[in-house]
Amino acid sequence: MAENAVGWLEKDDGGVVGGPLIEAGPRGRGLGAARALLAGMALIMAGNGLQGAVLGVRAENEGFGLAVSGAVMAGYFVGFLLGAKLAEHFLGAVGHIRVFAALASVASAVSILHPLWVNPPAWVVLRVIFGLAMAGIYVTVESWLNDMGTNTNRGRLLSMYLVVTMGGLSVGQLLLNGGDPADFDLYIFSSALISVALVPIALSATSAPPLIAPEPLPLRQLIALVPSGVLTSFCAGISHGALLGVGAVYAASEGLSASRIALFLSVATIGALVFTWPIGAISDRMSRRVVIFVVAAAAAGIAAIMAMIEPGSGLSLALMFLFGGTTFPLYSLAISHTGDWVPSSQLNGASAGLVRVTGVGAVIGPVVAGAAMAATVPWAFFIVLVAPHAVISIFIGVRIAARKGILVNEQTKFAPWPVRASAMAVNLLRRPPRTMRKNGRSGTRQSV
């Protein structure tokens, strides 16, 4: 047996040892086998994007209030935080296909129930349940992709997964133009998209793999190893949670039309797809901390300018495109930066820890943004987006001045990381690093 590029022990026959279950079953058919899985995920993400957009608009139209709307939308991220471990339990008990079918059915049912009980307490409960189901779906799909992955195609699988999740989310947000949030149509359509996602999975001949979960790394140890990665992940979570959670609420409160709201939300995710790879390529050729500093500072500056621009104007949409292209890649940069410093044996646990830290930030973001808008003015939404990026740039700037970084040729390869990926996607990280070291990284470095 030999250690593979992501820290698992790989046997001669292709099996993998690691995590709670140690035997890996027969692999699927590589990228071809992943198509059905990714097609189903694209439909689910479209339904998810549509639901988030329509609920934000409907909450504002129903007079929930900005603070209450923020708390309601944060329910999704609470459920997401809680759902991963629950899904791992059921995957080990009944298998991937059954879990995927059950959770997609739950998510579909929850989507269509919102217009039946239009009140904040009911919607909080429904959002938490939907978040639980989505977390389980992510875990299931990512575990499946892990089994299909090899050392030669993991990078492509992760890139395809990013395109599918962000692209599907963007398409779903644009579907807000297809109906009135006050009617049943959009809720039914969201439910139908999630239900139809079962078709390519059920008809696929791909065998379901065993569960291989990353072992946890204590948060205190993770902070000691890579404080810059932890802080960047947490602050990125605040920004992403605020943008995806209450972006539609803000836009509706400013009186934007449904078409403008859809564009306002979707251009940010399109920006993420356009800028993630170029920013990642730059981070492979220069100090990654410097790239994080510049990107975070740019995101803070763009958000500050947007607070002074007329909502819904062409300029505001262009700036939102640039903002999405700077804020969303920060999560991928944090994951890759962590991989620069953490020994390969701890990479899985470290990345899983960053997923949880980002999830906590994503819960805080919508609540803080909603409360800030309610207490002051709607454009305080952008001030909330400025703050976490300013914190990142200040902290990283201080660390660059105080601590010497590693050589560029010792950095790991950049990995494009989907915004709400679960810890299961850890094993799709592109490895090995440019400078290979046997049994992890040699020597002991200071934390960065």
Side-chain angles (χ1 to χ4, degrees):
M1 292 188 293
E3 188 178 18
N4 71 10
V6 292
W8 298 106
L9 293 178
E10 194 168 81
K11 301 189 301 182
D12 295 335
D13 62 1
V16 178
V17 178
L21 298 182
I22 63 173
E23 277 305 313
R27 292 189 179 276
R29 296 191 304 274
L31 295 178
R35 289 173 185 161
L37 198 58
L38 293 174
M41 195 64 185
L43 290 168
I44 286 179
M45 290 307 298
N48 185 13
L50 175 58
Q51 183 188 137
V54 71
L55 290 181
V57 175
R58 182 71 179 270
E60 173 61 22
N61 293 344
E62 293 290 339
F64 282 11
L66 296 172
V68 173
S69 297
V72 167
M73 301 307 288
Y76 170 85
F77 300 104
V78 173
F80 203 99
L81 269 177
L82 301 175
K85 286 295 181 183
L86 188 63
E88 289 174 17
H89 167 74
F90 284 114
L91 282 174
V94 301
H96 288 62
I97 295 176
R98 290 186 179 91
V99 171
F100 186 93
L103 294 177
S105 298
V106 169
S108 176
V110 168
S111 296
I112 209 170
L113 289 176
H114 285 87
L116 298 181
W117 302 295
V118 185
N119 60 80
W123 277 22
V124 167
V125 173
L126 291 174
R127 289 297 285 168
V128 170
I129 295 173
F130 187 80
L132 281 165
M134 284 301 301
I137 289 171
Y138 273 82
V139 167
T140 305
V141 170
E142 289 161 12
S143 177
W144 226 326
L145 289 174
N146 285 334
D147 188 67
M148 297 174 186
T150 66
N151 286 338
T152 59
N153 71 11
R154 282 194 179 94
R156 282 179 290 167
L157 277 176
L158 189 58
S159 297
M160 291 166 62
Y161 186 47
L162 173 69
V163 171
V164 163
T165 53
M166 299 299 291
L169 187 67
S170 180
V171 169
Q173 292 164 338
L174 288 172
L175 291 175
L176 182 63
N177 292 310
D180 185 348
D183 296 333
F184 274 81
D185 300 18
L186 293 178
Y187 304 93
I188 294 172
F189 194 24
S190 173
S191 175
L193 286 169
I194 297 171
S195 295
V196 173
L198 286 166
V199 175
I201 306 301
L203 296 180
S204 173
T206 305
S207 59
L211 174 66
I212 304 175
E215 296 179 3
L217 180 70
L219 181 59
R220 182 177 298 179
Q221 185 178 350
L222 180 59
I223 293 174
L225 285 170
V226 199
S228 298
V230 174
L231 180 95
T232 300
S233 295
F234 176 71
C235 291
I238 293 175
S239 172
H240 302 164
L243 181 59
L244 297 175
V246 296
V249 177
Y250 159 76
S253 70
E254 292 284 19
L256 272 63
S257 66
S259 60
R260 281 293 175 178
I261 294 173
L263 283 173
F264 178 80
L265 298 175
S266 63
V267 292
T269 52
I270 294 172
L273 286 173
V274 171
F275 283 97
T276 293
W277 281 276
I279 288 175
I282 293 171
S283 77
D284 281 341
R285 290 167 173 78
M286 62 183 297
S287 169
R288 192 158 280 138
R289 287 192 300 173
V290 172
V291 175
I292 293 174
F293 170 81
V294 171
V295 171
I302 293 168
I305 295 172
M306 290 182 67
M308 300 180 284
I309 301 298
E310 180 183 354
S313 65
L315 179 57
S316 71
L317 295 178
L319 289 171
M320 181 56 75
F321 171 78
L322 295 176
F323 180 75
T326 50
T327 187
F328 286 120
L330 282 170
Y331 188 30
S332 297
L333 289 170
I335 294 283
S336 297
H337 176 65
T338 298
D340 293 340
W341 290 86
V342 173
S344 60
S345 60
Q346 294 181 310
L347 177 61
N348 295 279
S351 301
L354 292 186
V355 169
R356 291 190 291 273
V357 168
T358 307
V360 173
V363 173
I364 295 172
V367 175
V368 172
M373 289 190 290
T376 55
V377 290
W379 55 263
F381 170 72
F382 294 111
I383 304 304
V384 174
L385 295 180
V386 169
H389 297 97
V391 169
I392 293 172
S393 58
I394 292 170
F395 183 84
I396 296 294
V398 171
R399 300 295 288 187
I400 290 174
R403 305 277 184 172
K404 186 178 180 180
I406 64 175
L407 298 175
V408 173
N409 63 1
E410 292 186 355
Q411 292 181 165
T412 57
K413 191 74 173 175
F414 174 81
W417 194 265
V419 173
R420 288 310 306 144
S422 79
M424 286 294 167
V426 169
N427 294 314
L428 286 172
L429 285 171
R430 285 187 287 186
R431 294 296 181 262
R434 290 178 179 175
T435 302
M436 290 295 298
R437 291 182 176 85
K438 208 168 184 178
N439 299 323
R441 300 188 182 277
S442 61
T444 301
R445 294 196 178 98
Q446 292 177 315
S447 62
V448 291

